[in-house]
Amino acid sequence: MPRFSIVVPSHGVAGRLSQALDSVLAQSFGDFELIPVCDAPDAPAADVVAGYAERDSRVTPVHSPPSAGLAGARNTGLKAAVGGHVLFLDGDDVLVPGALAALDARMSAVGDVDVLYFEHERTPWWEGEPTNPAAPLLARTPEGAFSPGRAPQLTGVTLPAWSALYRRAFLTEQGLAFPGDHFTDVGFGGLVALRAERVAALRAVVVRHLLRRQGNRLGLPGEHHAELLDQTELVLTRAAAQDLPADRMKPLFEQLFAAVLKTAAHPRRLTSGRRSFFRRAGALYRRHRPAGYRAPGGSVGVQHRLLASGSYAAFRTLRAAHRTASWAAALLPRPRGLRTRLRYAAALRLPLDRNLVVYCAYWGRGYACNPAAIHAKARLLAPQLRSVFLVEPEAVGSLPRGVEHAVIGSRKYWQVLARAKYLVNNANFADAVVKRRGSVHLQTQHGTPLKTMGADQATYPVVAAATGSFAKLLARVDRWDYNLTSNRHSTEMWERAFPSAHETLEYGYPRNDVYCTASAEDVARVRKELGVPDGKKALLYAPTHRDYATGFETGLDLAEFCEAIGDDYVVLLRAHYFYDQGASRGGGRIIDVTGHRSSEDVCLAADALITDYSSIMFDYANLDRPIVAYADDWDVYRETRGVYFDLMELPPGRIARTPEELAAVFRDGSWADETATSLRAAFRERFCQFDDGRAAERVVRRVLLGEPPESIPPVIPLAERVPAPAATLVRS
């Protein structure tokens, strides 16, 4: 039997779950079992956990459906536990180094206690000093093991479940489990403290709680706040049933109603039913108020007296008197120019146009990427919707016929942004754009992340300096309602890079639909448009942007490369869009396609891809055509930009480090041999999960038409997809 069982619920934290699991497995004390609780075998967290279970026999995952909530997940983990003591750890928290050794040493010193309370550190997600809220509470406890009556302030209701270690036999014998769903820590902590006979304290930090940037889920508005009263009633009723002494009843009563009054006074938590919440709370207050109880002084005492008397009108007046009006100033839109601001503010007061969809791609560069693919599908499936594409002035001429547009910064631009029900972007809208109640923002992204993105860039100085204010970046992220992903890797990384309350849609990238729907005639047409000679193999060379470079630079001389590989090949050069200046590069066997509107067309035309670290490799892999990674500066790129995985360990095909090696793989045919094919197959298995040709349809049906998730077309398995044929290659 292991010393400790560590239960880790993982719902909604797949992107940071590895940190929690690593913090446990890295402990110097190794006598434990680790029980991650996943939603289902195919859930995002299950993919993460599966790798750990394969590598370490102490990891024994179990499953609990999301409908069971946090309480259900913890109870499922508790039932599976066989260790002597149980520790609960949230999936986005970590054990500090040496935590288990400290717990073991303390348990050996105090004996077989029912509960060992310990300190925890609350670490702000972005900035601010860590706090240790349990320290003052535990500082007043006796030195060794003690009965709960010797520390009446230790009621259990103010400490989270992951701030204590529990003797498993005690929980089993007493039939203790997590009650309800929301505010389950209040009920569980209170019941544990009421039933425990011997407890102890460890005055040291064991868990580092990483505060969510979007705040605690319990603090969000909603009807779930009524469950706080359920938990309060449960604990107080149990305390009354066992005739809890007055010296213990008073702190329990005060701590519970401190939480109740905080919720009752919060203007945004209770969106409805405030009066009924207050009345029920008042009834509980009067029923369980300890004999001779005197309310505290000051405004808190006034709230106690109003709650006891049931004076909701007076309580509401008191609450309003303490509010400030500064929040209104923060909501004012701030586009440049007074006249523009006034027009935009006026438009924001008009009703939302529920049939208006606004699209934008690459900060207005044109009709492209996922927004364009969604727009095209919406014209077929939802013709009743009016669609407006936002573009810079120079991109107007490249728009397809029949696409309504608004020039960025114009009067129409601000009008449609103010009135649109739906806003779709693959980057972000301007800081001045206001997220209106009832509007729906869809972030489609524009690639699978190899390099660090969003908040993860903060620790890389070169990238952080170019990114600007991360606070502003994350304020833009807060406007998202949905975030699109094309594979499980992206799901996890976006959760880390863009922490917020939006919903992830694992639907695939609509722009990649064409890789499963294009025909041989489509491929031939694109090659003709790009000027690829008949019978030639087209190699797409698509290097990415270097944050440490000042312009478009490449260590590959394309003219020398073409000379070295022979006359059977031409090279399609597509530089990063940052360097699209409208001028051509190269000539002869080098065809510059940087300015071509559609990267999807360019990929269809290419028989193989040569890239370094560009996300185009993930999209191109859907075509199941050869990919060669030209990684001449991988070590520098990895150190300066930061990456999410080692491309050299998981390449999409052959790797070349020098121009000579690159030319050699094409001369000897290894670019398309069995080894290259095997590497590509593994790469596709991991990164081509959801791109099956129906991504745009799924997005339109779910987001724009509001169809329920269960009615959305499922993803076609990878083995059943038929990619668009290559012009000069025969696929086995």
Side-chain angles (χ1 to χ4, degrees), residues 215-232:
N216 191 311
R217 292 169 180 166
L218 296 180
L220 297 175
E223 297 178 356
H224 63 276
H225 287 283
E227 294 187 38
L228 174 59
L229 298 181
D230 296 339
Q231 302 290 353
T232 299

Side-chain angles (χ1 to χ4, degrees), residues 125-475:
W125 178 85
W126 189 247
E127 59 184 11
E129 294 298 320
T131 60
N132 186 342
L137 190 64
L138 300 184
R140 294 178 287 156
T141 57
E143 288 298 322
F146 55 90
S147 64
R150 294 181 60 195
Q153 79 280 3
L154 202 57
T155 67
V157 300
T158 60
L159 290 176
W162 38 260
S163 195
L165 180 72
Y166 310 91
R167 185 166 62 88
R168 187 170 63 85
F170 158 70
L171 297 179
T172 303
E173 293 164 1
Q174 296 294 330
L176 292 169
F178 287 89
D181 186 6
H182 298 91
F183 302 97
T184 185
D185 282 14
V186 173
F188 181 76
L191 295 180
V192 165
L194 290 174
R195 293 295 182 85
E197 296 181 359
R198 293 183 78 244
V199 299
L202 171 62
R203 299 189 189 101
V205 171
V206 171
V207 172
R208 181 168 293 119
H209 176 59
L210 305 179
L211 294 173
R212 294 169 179 265
R213 183 186 156 267
Q214 56 269 40
N216 191 311
R217 292 169 180 166
L218 296 180
L220 297 175
E223 297 178 356
H224 63 276
H225 287 283
E227 294 187 38
L228 174 59
L229 298 181
D230 296 339
Q231 302 290 353
T232 299
E233 184 173 13
L234 173 66
V235 174
L236 289 175
T237 300
R238 191 70 57 84
Q242 70 181 58
D243 198 20
L244 195 70
D247 62 335
R248 291 186 62 189
M249 190 64 179
K250 178 182 176 182
L252 177 64
F253 179 85
E254 283 193 338
Q255 291 175 19
L256 284 169
F257 277 98
V260 169
L261 285 168
K262 183 177 180 180
T263 296
H266 200 289
R268 294 181 181 175
R269 289 186 181 177
L270 293 169
T271 54
S272 62
R274 292 181 185 139
R275 186 183 297 273
S276 60
F277 180 94
F278 186 87
R279 285 177 175 172
R280 183 185 171 196
L284 285 174
Y285 189 98
R286 292 186 293 273
R287 185 186 316 148
H288 294 282
R289 179 170 47 187
Y293 177 76
R294 296 183 61 182
S299 63
V300 174
V302 174
Q303 293 181 48
H304 273 256
R305 288 188 286 275
L306 293 176
L307 187 63
S309 63
S311 304
Y312 177 71
F315 181 84
R316 185 176 57 186
T317 302
L318 177 67
R319 181 188 66 202
H322 284 83
R323 281 194 221 141
T324 65
S326 60
W327 62 272
L331 295 179
L332 288 177
R334 300 201 176 274
R336 293 182 179 179
L338 177 59
R339 183 177 299 177
T340 302
R341 288 202 298 270
L342 293 175
R343 286 174 178 163
Y344 183 49
L348 287 171
R349 290 194 291 270
L350 298 174
L352 283 174
D353 185 339
R354 300 192 175 276
N355 287 320
L356 177 58
V357 190
V358 170
Y359 298 88
C360 190
Y362 298 117
W363 303 276
R365 290 183 64 245
Y367 188 81
C369 196
N370 292 318
I374 296 170
H375 173 274
K377 185 61 68 172
R379 296 175 80 173
L380 297 175
L381 298 180
Q384 73 277 13
L385 298 178
R386 175 194 174 197
S387 300
V388 179
F389 234 91
L390 307 180
V391 293
E392 292 288 356
E394 58 270 19
V396 172
S398 66
L399 290 173
R401 185 186 301 272
V403 174
E404 184 180 355
H405 71 278
V407 174
I408 291 178
S410 66
R411 178 185 296 187
K412 181 178 180 181
Y413 166 82
W414 289 109
Q415 286 176 340
V416 295
L417 281 174
R419 299 289 308 282
K421 164 78 172 181
Y422 306 99
L423 294 94
V424 181
N425 207 328
N426 73 347
N428 258 314
F429 291 100
D431 292 341
V433 173
V434 173
K435 174 67 166 72
R436 294 187 63 177
R437 182 188 297 271
S439 66
V440 177
H441 285 234
L442 168 64
Q443 169 57 250
T444 74
Q445 303 294 346
H446 54 271
T448 291
L450 167 61
K451 60 191 177 186
T452 55
M453 300 293 291
D456 288 338
Q457 299 173 352
T459 56
Y460 295 90
V462 173
V463 189
T467 301
S469 170
F470 284 95
K472 289 184 177 180
L473 167 67
L474 294 168

Side-chain angles (χ1 to χ4, degrees), residues 468-712:
S469 170
F470 284 95
K472 289 184 177 180
L473 167 67
L474 294 168
R476 296 191 290 269
V477 171
D478 284 340
R479 298 186 300 217
W480 302 354
D481 294 289
Y482 298 105
N483 185 35
L484 199 58
T485 177
S486 60
N487 48 61
R488 192 57 54 76
H489 162 79
S490 295
T491 299
E492 298 169 18
M493 297 309 105
W494 293 147
E495 184 180 304
R496 288 179 45 179
F498 303 116
S500 191
H502 55 260
E503 179 181 350
T504 296
L505 300 179
E506 292 185 322
Y507 286 176
Y509 281 162
R511 72 180 185 190
N512 292 342
D513 284 354
V514 68
Y515 298 141
C516 291
T517 60
S519 65
E521 291 73 20
D522 294 323
V523 173
R525 172 185 52 79
V526 173
R527 286 170 67 91
K528 184 176 181 180
E529 290 177 1
L530 297 178
V532 178
D534 291 339
K536 296 291 187 181
K537 294 183 179 68
L539 307 179
L540 173 58
Y541 176 52
T544 193
H545 166 65
R546 266 54 168 187
D547 297 277
Y548 51 85
T550 56
F552 177 71
E553 297 179 3
T554 173
L556 182 63
D557 187 314
L558 291 180
E560 290 184 4
F561 172 68
C562 288
E563 185 68 25
I565 62 176
D567 295 335
D568 291 340
Y569 302 92
V570 296
V571 172
L572 305 176
L573 169 63
R574 189 169 181 84
H576 192 277
Y577 58 81
F578 284 177
Y579 310 115
D580 178 12
Q581 304 298 326
S584 64
R585 303 178 182 87
R589 292 171 57 195
I590 304 171
I591 305 172
D592 189 346
V593 295
T594 302
H596 190 76
R597 177 178 58 84
S598 170
S599 62
E600 295 76 53
D601 279 358
V602 173
C603 288
L604 286 174
D607 298 292
L609 170 68
I610 304 170
T611 187
D612 38 29
Y613 327 118
S614 171
S615 66
I616 198 172
M617 74 177 80
F618 303 99
D619 305 314
Y620 191 83
N622 285 286
L623 289 168
D624 197 15
R625 302 177 190 175
I627 302 174
V628 177
Y630 179 55
D632 60 330
D633 61 345
W634 170 249
D635 294 332
V636 175
Y637 186 86
R638 180 175 56 183
E639 291 299 320
T640 56
R641 177 63 202 235
V643 295
Y644 287 124
F645 68 92
D646 190 344
L647 184 65
M648 302 302 101
E649 296 294 327
L650 297 166
R654 292 288 187 176
I655 299 173
R657 293 279 195 163
T658 66
E660 293 76 21
E661 290 180 5
L662 183 61
V665 300
F666 285 95
R667 283 199 307 267
D668 63 20
S670 59
W671 62 291
D673 65 7
E674 291 185 5
T675 299
T677 302
S678 177
L679 291 170
R680 185 170 72 253
F683 192 83
R684 280 166 49 79
E685 189 72 27
R686 182 176 183 184
F687 296 112
C688 298
Q689 288 171 292
F690 310 136
D691 290 338
D692 64 348
R694 302 191 68 179
E697 178 185 352
R698 283 190 282 269
V699 171
V700 171
R701 292 190 182 280
R702 176 71 190 283
V703 178
L704 302 185
L705 295 178
E707 295 184 8
E710 57 271 16
S711 70
I712 304 302

